[in-house]
Amino acid sequence: MPREPWIWKGACGGQGEPESGPPDGSPPSPGAAALMLLLPVTMFHLLLVARSGPARLLGPPPYLPGLEELWSPWALLLCLTWLGLQAALYLLPARKVAEGQELKDKSRLRYPINGFQALVLTALLVGLGVSAGLPLSALPEMLLPLAFAATLTAFIFSLLLYLKALVAPASALAPGGNSGNLIYDFFLGRELNPRICSFDFKYFCELRPGLIGWVLINLALLMQEAELRGSPSLAMWLVNGFQLLYVADALWYEEAVLTTMDIIHDGFGFMLAFGDLAWVPFTYSLQAQFLLYHPQPLGWPLASFICLINAVGYYIFRGANSQKNTFRKNPSDPRVADLETISTATGRRLLVSGWWGMVRHPNYLGDLIMALAWSLPCGVFHLLPYFYFLYFTALLVHREDRDERQCLQKYGLAWHEYCQRVPYRIVPYVY
């Protein structure tokens, strides 16, 4: 899946996505401060309304939880234990060690490619724990204190990252998070690749604790539904299966994340730390949360149609990303050697056939189709389960617009030619 800036967690940019670039304008400190408040508030709002009777996305939450309901030392301990487990799995021998993009000082960092291995080992450990009596089905009752603990952890972690960046050399700082504005730099992150020895904090958080935690929460919700109703519903099975495929794909193709904007351009601050550790596991599991408290009837004919929609989305998503990554690694590879290209002044070539001749961001199209398929098992009478689809659509349109402006700046006339050859941005004949 190779993902993006989380406000995010979706595709991995376009084929012409710049490998570095200037920040988008002057640092908006009030905007960064507002997001640091708004994003956690939104996450808790979703958690509260998912379990309420009306489940209204746009209505007020059923109540405002007090500190005694949010704070739990056991939840904090569980959160830190989870991070410790994933860190231990990160440090295990990897099936491959890959080099990242060239840095300012012409060096290249090395990254272990063992995310899928961590997913498998986590599944084995959870399976052993459940067989030994681990009450995984009790996890949904702890979502509020766990989300609070994850948010607190993200704030403290971001502060430590900011303090570490104060003593980092100038060559180690990110282009966008080195403005001199404390709030803005804290939000975006000052240091590009904060590390202790070989442990890369940004790369570790990007795909490990949040994504694997997401499918673990989904599994716990499925198990609690089985306890409440005798067996999981077909809708719950579909949501779990679709999202597990998505996460497994991300971790299997983990190396592709090394070419995304998260890794090569964005600093590691609150935006990514909160997104990776809190937003992803607690908001991306929204459909499963909704189904636990609002069961939906789903027959096999409609379920089969929804599976087809998800399969089409995944086929487009994986095909587009694989084609782009293969071409980036080796344009002479037989799988992409016959594709038509446009030469650019930078020496790179832009694909104008295959998936990238259909629309300029076919991976975004696949991602959106899958996002829709995740929501459809929840029925069509509530807007809440479609939050991810709506938010993701807005995010990718904004992301695509940023890609367009940066690619035009980098590739100039070649990008103009590409846009003439491929006029549609995400959806053929629509946008």
Side-chain angles (χ1 to χ4, degrees), residues 175-206:
N178 185 26
S179 68
N181 184 302
L182 188 151
I183 295 176
Y184 184 77
D185 291 348
F186 176 83
F187 180 74
L188 279 190
R190 294 190 77 239
E191 194 171 358
L192 183 61
N193 302 293
R195 287 186 163 211
I196 292 181
C197 298
S198 63
F199 193 97
D200 191 295
F201 292 109
K202 183 168 68 171
Y203 176 71
F204 164 71
C205 289
E206 183 76 7

Side-chain angles (χ1 to χ4, degrees), residues 248-306:
D249 177 271
L251 295 169
W252 182 261
Y253 293 100
E254 182 180 27
E255 185 176 354
V257 80
L258 299 180
T259 62
T260 63
M261 294 288 282
D262 277 21
I263 299 296
I264 62 180
H265 180 268
D266 295 334
F268 192 34
F270 179 79
M271 182 183 76
L272 288 178
F274 174 78
D276 292 336
L277 302 180
W279 181 266
V280 169
F282 296 104
T283 64
Y284 286 18
S285 58
L286 185 62
Q287 288 93 354
Q289 294 177 48
F290 174 84
L291 288 172
L292 177 64
Y293 299 104
H294 307 275
Q296 300 293 313
L298 181 64
W300 280 105
L302 181 55
S304 300
F305 180 65
I306 295 173

